[in-house]
Amino acid sequence: QPEPEGMDRVLRRCEAVELADVEGRKVPVGKGEAAAEGASVVAAVKRTPGYDLVRVGNFGERDDGSPPDIAFFHNRPTLSQIYDEATHRRQELVKQSCGALRDVCDRVFGFDAAKVTLFYERGAASRFVRQKLLFNLAPVEQHKAAKGLADVRADPFVYCYFYGLCVHKLAHFFDVVHGTRHDFFMSEYRAHHALNWVQLLLRRGFEPAAVEREHRHLLWAVVD
């Protein structure tokens, strides 16, 4: 069966693949030994940012003996960095971020933080996929380094980042497509949980008006 039009631009020609003329269309076929019955040929590999991940385990910020409950994944090609704590301090980042995530999810939106998955990959967007929320910690790490923070919770950025992600991704439960319906539910989340959000900022020692001036793009735009 011929491949859909345009697939020849995705599949690469190599020593094992050639494009044959079948019913007037160019389709990829195996050549040489690869054409033998039962042979398998990989013509190309596509790795989408945010999908080449390995589960590291569950993390948590609490020291009261409760089990860690927030799943964390790491980009596979850079997986060794999560175990090089002396250099990258990424496990520390994850634990601190778990605390901020729990504050925003549980105290602002009444949404169990354990239902959110955290991951790390530079350049990847946070996602809503198959009714699951996946938040990328790379922007949090970059902000931590830029500000020279020992703990990301000492700065309002991480709270605003998770707040913006929750508003955006939770609205996708009602409509997976970006449009006026999705925008409506984002506005509803902001309005309904505004008081909880302000109370959280005050509880953490931040001035709400100053936070909004500095991080308005995270509070009112679509955050990825």
Side-chain angles (χ1 to χ4, degrees):
Q1 180 179 354
E3 295 284 351
E5 183 178 358
M7 283 301 294
D8 57 330
R9 299 180 181 177
V10 177
L11 298 173
R12 297 198 305 266
R13 301 187 190 192
C14 64
E15 66 277 1
V17 178
E18 63 183 356
L19 296 178
D21 192 349
V22 178
E23 298 181 355
R25 292 188 178 185
K26 295 291 185 180
V27 298
V29 299
K31 64 180 179 180
E33 295 181 359
E37 184 177 356
S40 178
V41 175
V42 177
V45 176
K46 180 182 180 182
R47 293 189 176 92
T48 303
Y51 285 84
D52 191 10
L53 304 172
V54 175
R55 180 165 185 159
V56 177
N58 284 7
F59 284 75
E61 80 291 355
R62 296 177 292 197
D63 56 3
D64 58 1
S66 56
D69 57 350
I70 298 177
F72 174 72
F73 288 68
H74 199 283
N75 176 238
R76 183 185 56 80
T78 59
L79 181 61
S80 61
Q81 295 178 0
I82 190 67
Y83 301 109
D84 186 0
E85 191 66 3
T87 302
H88 300 283
R89 307 195 69 82
R90 196 152 296 155
Q91 293 186 39
E92 177 184 77
L93 170 75
V94 178
K95 293 176 182 178
Q96 294 171 358
S97 298
C98 285
L101 179 69
R102 202 179 310 276
D103 270 349
V104 174
C105 287
D106 293 9
R107 297 191 176 189
V108 176
F109 295 99
F111 186 80
D112 187 358
K115 295 180 180 178
V116 177
T117 295
L118 299 176
F119 73 96
Y120 179 92
E121 181 178 348
R122 285 179 175 265
S126 298
R127 306 196 309 279
F128 175 88
V129 57
R130 297 181 181 178
Q131 302 295 300
K132 295 180 181 179
L133 309 180
L134 294 91
F135 293 175
N136 188 6
L137 293 185
V140 179
E141 183 184 70
Q142 292 169 358
H143 184 82
K144 180 181 181 181
K147 291 283 189 175
L149 301 173
D151 191 324
V152 297
R153 293 168 293 186
D155 186 274
F157 174 86
V158 66
Y159 296 97
C160 295
Y161 176 65
F162 285 146
Y163 173 87
L165 284 175
C166 283
V167 167
H168 176 195
K169 305 305 181 182
L170 289 174
H172 276 312
F173 280 112
F174 300 94
D175 198 328
V176 297
V177 178
H178 287 161
T180 54
R181 179 180 167 87
H182 177 259
D183 290 345
F184 167 77
F185 282 107
M186 286 180 61
S187 297
E188 287 294 290
Y189 269 111
R190 293 190 186 101
H192 187 70
H193 300 288
L195 179 59
N196 291 340
W197 169 240
V198 171
Q199 289 175 338
L200 172 63
L201 293 177
L202 293 173
R203 190 180 301 116
R204 293 292 171 253
F206 304 121
E207 172 54 47
V211 170
E212 180 164 349
R213 284 194 300 270
E214 182 178 3
H215 299 293
R216 185 176 181 81
H217 61 293
L218 295 175
L219 305 179
W220 294 100
V222 174
V223 180
D224 282 316

